[in-house]
Amino acid sequence: MKYFLLPFGCQMNLSDTERVRTVLQQMGFEPTDNEEEANLLGIVACSVRQKGIDKVYGRIEKWNAMKNRRSVITFVSGCILPADRIRFLKLFDIVFTMNELPQLPEMIRQYGVVTPVKEVNPSANMEPFWEINPMRASAFEAYIPIQNGCNNFCTYCAVPYTRGREVSRPSEEILSEVRELVEKDYKSITLLGQNVNSYGLDKKGEEINFAELLRRIGEYGKASGKTFWVYYTAPHPRDMEDEIIEVMARYDCLAKQIHIPIQSGDDEMLQRMNRHHNMERYRHIIQTIRRVLPTATIFTDIIVGFTHESEEEFEHTRQAMEEFKYNMAYIAQYSVREGAVASRWEDDVPKEVKRQRYHRLTEELMKHSLVYNQALVGTTVRMLVEDFDRKNGYLTGHTEGKIVIRFASQDEHLIGQIVDVKVTSASPLSIEGELLTANC
């Protein structure tokens, strides 16, 4: 018996997928990359953009056609809006939320009975889910979920309706998972949550906060004597306290890279987005990072063409990019998500205007990232070697600051290792160098 599993979307979905794999393989299913030979076909869905859900509908249409030729079971989980869930119940054999994953074996055994239509709280009782030991997709990079859900209700976002309200995972479980991974020589560990820096706020008096969680990880890293990098994503400017940045500066294992979404550089737009912060607050965060963590790289998320976005509001975002000089920006052209507050508003920015603004911000990003990368030429950087590069005869990976880098080598034994590389050339989004030494 074989299974085919297709994850869409963010790192949290990829992390969830690792636990789904565990449950299926404990049942005796074997993984396959060939849908045609799978007895069980599953999707971990993403509702952040309509395009992601459209892919789910396209795939299940194909899978249901297979049922004319052979017996297969289909299921879907992940980030699913209530309206899509009702539709999926008619298309998939099994529809479940991630907190119901421990019950999946019983659902499969009784797959003829479709999950009933009922009010679902996707963040209720996450403990059994978190207790599942994930089937890691990598031997040196790992994700650790530290919370589930979101309380922010940004007007463009569907996550609070797909994952529910914020629930923090017990810190002892998180710390234990970090220790286990480091002892197995994992080099890159990413703490995951919809709003990681609000960790523990739902359990005040019972749980530590995010800064303290980082401090304890840092102390363990310092005592372990091992080289590894811990990242986290994604923080929210509302909860990004100076203490978090100061803790990061004290410990080598806390990677000097911060992904801090801005979404827009205009205060009125931020209010329409219900972002709970303004540019003064955001500017303080960036200035604190530059002062306390001068070597840190800064990444961000930006939406262009949100409802009613004027040319002036867009220009404020472009000016913010010019001011903050991001190393990377994930720029999205706004698309309506059913269920989010903004889905009730007119999507009145023409597609062509969205595309033009997207390209203008991309040009701004390229300009500043190139300047940063060119300054690295002649210096020595540390990188985690991740795979063979598309360029024949090269290996590729990321620096501690998550800058893409490659060097000439075909030594597969370097994959999964942290090495020293002297930078010899730079382009806007990547650098190239010569291998010096392997550190570990």
Side-chain angles (χ1 to χ4, degrees), residues 34-52:
N34 184 357
E35 298 167 74
E36 295 295 333
E37 67 178 17
N39 311 97
L40 182 64
L41 299 162
I43 292 175
V44 180
C46 173
S47 288
V48 171
R49 295 186 181 87
Q50 184 61 44
K51 185 182 295 185

Side-chain angles (χ1 to χ4, degrees), residues 179-193:
R179 289 191 292 267
E180 177 185 352
L181 289 167
V182 173
E183 288 168 5
K184 292 179 178 178
D185 282 333
Y186 274 75
K187 305 301 182 186
S188 175
I189 299 170
T190 303
L191 310 179
L192 295 178

Side-chain angles (χ1 to χ4, degrees), residues 113-330:
V113 181
V114 180
T115 308
V117 179
K118 60 182 179 179
E119 190 70 25
V120 175
N121 180 358
S123 63
N125 192 24
M126 290 297 295
E127 292 294 331
F129 169 78
W130 283 326
E131 289 172 1
I132 297 171
N133 191 30
M135 188 76 63
R136 304 285 183 191
S138 168
F140 53 88
E141 293 181 290
Y143 301 123
I144 298 180
I146 69 169
Q147 64 175 186
N148 187 70
C150 183
N151 294 346
N152 289 309
F153 291 90
C154 299
T155 55
Y156 55 80
C157 184
V159 168
Y161 310 101
T162 61
R163 286 190 176 269
R165 303 300 291 268
E166 290 176 9
V167 178
S168 297
R169 186 182 180 190
S171 56
E172 280 308 311
E173 288 185 14
I174 299 168
L175 294 167
S176 175
E177 197 166 340
V178 170
R179 289 191 292 267
E180 177 185 352
L181 289 167
V182 173
E183 288 168 5
K184 292 179 178 178
D185 282 333
Y186 274 75
K187 305 301 182 186
S188 175
I189 299 170
T190 303
L191 310 179
L192 295 178
Q194 272 65 48
N195 181 18
V196 289
N197 47 3
S198 68
Y199 173 82
L201 298 184
D202 60 310
K203 298 179 179 179
K204 284 187 176 179
E206 302 176 20
E207 198 44 275
I208 60 178
N209 64 16
F210 187 58
E212 177 61 17
L213 179 66
L214 289 180
R215 190 194 68 79
R216 294 189 185 185
I217 292 173
E219 284 294 327
Y220 166 73
K222 185 177 179 180
S224 73
K226 293 197 172 187
T227 300
F228 62 97
W229 295 327
V230 174
Y231 301 90
Y232 58 85
T233 192
H236 192 292
R238 183 186 66 177
D239 302 308
M240 192 66 176
E241 302 296 338
D242 292 359
E243 182 186 9
I244 294 172
I245 301 168
E246 291 163 356
V247 169
M248 290 178 65
R250 290 202 290 268
Y251 299 99
D252 290 341
C253 71
L254 302 181
K256 308 308 182 277
Q257 184 265 351
I258 296 180
H259 187 143
I260 184 79
I262 187 173
Q263 304 299 4
S264 172
D266 183 87
D267 281 343
E268 290 188 14
M269 176 63 78
L270 290 171
Q271 287 183 356
R272 288 207 298 281
M273 291 178 166
N274 196 36
R275 286 292 291 165
H276 306 291
H277 70 90
N278 56 26
M279 285 302 296
E280 180 181 2
R281 168 68 182 155
Y282 190 89
R283 184 171 288 107
H284 168 80
I285 295 169
I286 299 297
Q287 290 173 345
T288 303
I289 294 170
R290 299 298 191 200
R291 174 175 53 85
V292 179
L293 291 173
T295 63
T297 54
I298 302 178
F299 290 22
T300 198
D301 297 329
I302 297 174
I303 296 173
V304 296
F306 186 63
T307 300
H308 308 328
E309 183 183 58
S310 66
E311 184 62 30
E312 181 182 13
E313 289 171 331
F314 168 75
E315 176 60 19
H316 289 160
T317 299
R318 191 204 62 77
Q319 290 172 358
M321 287 194 72
E322 185 175 31
E323 177 183 356
F324 301 136
K325 297 176 174 57
Y326 297 110
N327 297 93
M328 174 55 72
Y330 299 98

Side-chain angles (χ1 to χ4, degrees), residues 81-83 153-158 161 336-344:
L81 286 163
F153 291 90
C154 299
T155 55
Y156 55 80
C157 184
Y161 310 101
V336 177
R337 278 312 293 124
E338 181 182 349
V341 170
S343 66
R344 303 194 292 267

